[in-house]
Amino acid sequence: MVQLNSIDTEMQNPNTAKIDCQNTLGMLKLINSEDQQVAFAVEKELPHIAQAVDAIYEKLHNGGRLIYCGAGTSGRLGVLDASECPPTFGVPDHLVHGIIAGGIDALTNAMEGAEDDFDGGMRDLKAIDFSSNDAVVGIAASGRTPYVLGAMAHAHSLGAPTIGITSCENSGLSKYVDVCIALQTGPEVITGSTRMKSGTAQKMVLNMLSTTAMIKLGKVYGNLMVDVKATNEKLVQRAISIVMTATDADEATAKKALEQCDYSCKQAIVMLLLGTDEDGAKKALEKADGHISRAL
């Protein structure tokens, strides 16, 4: 039997021991007070997060993929971050991929028993042809989820870079990964409810991992998402706004440039700033490995 009282995320929080006796505002203040600790917990792990980003970037830059693996809340957060990368950064759907214990049904329905399948993580990685060319991030608040540990063990055996995100120090997960991001978020507001502070910390770190890797890949110019896919009216307007901001062009000029470049913000920006045509902009970007700053 696992001794839950020895796991950081399962301990009772003395600050919220009487939260049920508070009025509504009092409850919210206690939750908010605990949430304020999350960013500081993430800050302490920035050196490890940087190591993780560099390992992920190396694989992505060389044609590999980033795979998130988790169960329950952790798995859902990984799938969420993966699903938002294509529209935000214009990357292929397969480049960042999330797998969750229990499969796609577990995204909307609790399938808690699936997390106990150690071999399940390995099977799911094999199902997507995971190899040493890819990087994998295992997410487990307790740091002991068998499904995640199995996936990490398989990835490690292949020689792939393995990264762990947990809310427990010296957890089992740390023994299976090359880089362990141990977020000391402390006991939850509601004992054991890791969808709260632990989940918030995980979301912050996942944002950092994917966003920073994409910046290093040239998907951002300044702080503009210049590889955004203009797949709906809102994103068409965003693309126009991005080109206007980056080049100081008026709306008509930005829109015309985008139309000439098949709505590639990058190409339109380089075309306008270098005073070249769309083909010249494309060649400049190719030479600069997709980085606008280098092309300019």
Side-chain angles (χ1 to χ4, degrees):
M1 290 291 293
V2 176
Q3 298 298 315
L4 292 183
N5 59 6
S6 67
I7 300 174
D8 296 348
T9 54
E10 295 290 338
M11 294 181 180
Q12 187 177 27
N13 191 329
N15 299 329
T16 60
K18 294 185 178 181
I19 192 172
D20 62 323
C21 297
Q22 299 287 323
N23 61 21
T24 302
L25 183 58
M27 294 178 189
L28 295 175
K29 285 182 176 180
L30 287 175
I31 293 172
N32 180 246
S33 177
E34 291 296 311
D35 282 345
Q36 290 177 37
Q37 301 174 28
V38 174
F40 295 113
V42 172
E43 181 184 24
K44 291 177 181 178
E45 284 298 295
L46 288 179
H48 289 144
I49 296 170
Q51 290 178 33
V53 169
D54 288 340
I56 291 167
Y57 165 73
E58 181 183 357
K59 292 301 179 181
L60 294 179
H61 186 253
N62 290 310
R65 298 171 295 171
L66 166 59
I67 310 300
Y68 293 133
C69 173
T73 297
S74 299
R76 295 182 189 102
L77 289 170
V79 172
L80 172 64
D81 194 74
S83 66
E84 292 180 342
C85 286
T88 304
F89 300 110
V91 297
D93 292 343
H94 69 272
L95 191 71
V96 184
H97 185 77
I99 60 173
I100 181 172
I104 192 169
D105 289 342
L107 291 175
T108 55
N109 299 287
M111 300 179 67
E112 303 298 342
E115 72 175 50
D116 295 330
D117 186 0
F118 185 89
D119 292 332
M122 175 184 67
R123 288 196 301 270
D124 286 350
L125 282 184
K126 286 184 175 180
I128 61 170
D129 296 321
F130 183 87
S131 74
S132 59
N133 295 324
D134 305 316
V136 62
V137 177
I139 317 163
S142 67
R144 56 166 293 277
T145 307
Y147 176 86
V148 176
L149 298 186
M152 296 301 103
H154 175 64
H156 188 73
S157 73
L158 298 176
T162 52
I163 297 148
I165 302 176
T166 178
S167 290
C168 295
E169 198 172 18
N170 299 319
S171 67
L173 182 60
S174 66
K175 300 175 177 63
Y176 285 83
V177 297
D178 302 315
V179 180
C180 188
I181 301 167
L183 306 159
Q184 299 298 293
T185 51
E188 293 289 355
V189 170
I190 305 301
T191 307
S193 183
T194 51
R195 54 181 276 276
M196 301 189 78
K197 289 194 296 180
S198 292
T200 301
Q202 290 170 2
K203 180 67 169 69
M204 292 175 71
V205 172
L206 294 175
N207 284 347
M208 288 179 165
L209 294 180
S210 58
T211 301
T212 309
M214 294 300 167
I215 293 171
K216 290 169 71 69
L217 286 169
K219 303 294 182 180
V220 175
Y221 173 54
N223 61 358
L224 303 173
M225 54 171 79
V226 289
D227 261 327
V228 64
K229 288 183 177 179
T231 53
N232 61 32
E233 185 58 34
K234 180 189 75 174
L235 294 178
V236 167
Q237 291 303 315
R238 179 175 293 168
I240 294 171
S241 177
I242 287 170
V243 174
M244 291 173 65
T245 301
T247 65
D248 288 329
D250 59 32
E251 183 175 355
T253 302
K255 186 175 181 181
K256 182 179 179 181
L258 282 165
E259 290 171 347
Q260 289 178 275
C261 299
D262 195 24
Y263 270 83
S264 165
C265 288
K266 271 185 176 179
Q267 206 172 330
I269 290 168
V270 172
M271 184 174 72
L272 290 174
L273 291 181
L274 290 185
T276 184
D277 59 16
E278 57 267 33
D279 187 54
K282 183 178 180 180
K283 289 179 179 177
L285 281 167
E286 288 173 350
K287 186 177 180 181
D289 200 19
H291 291 255
I292 291 178
S293 297
R294 296 178 192 172
L296 298 178

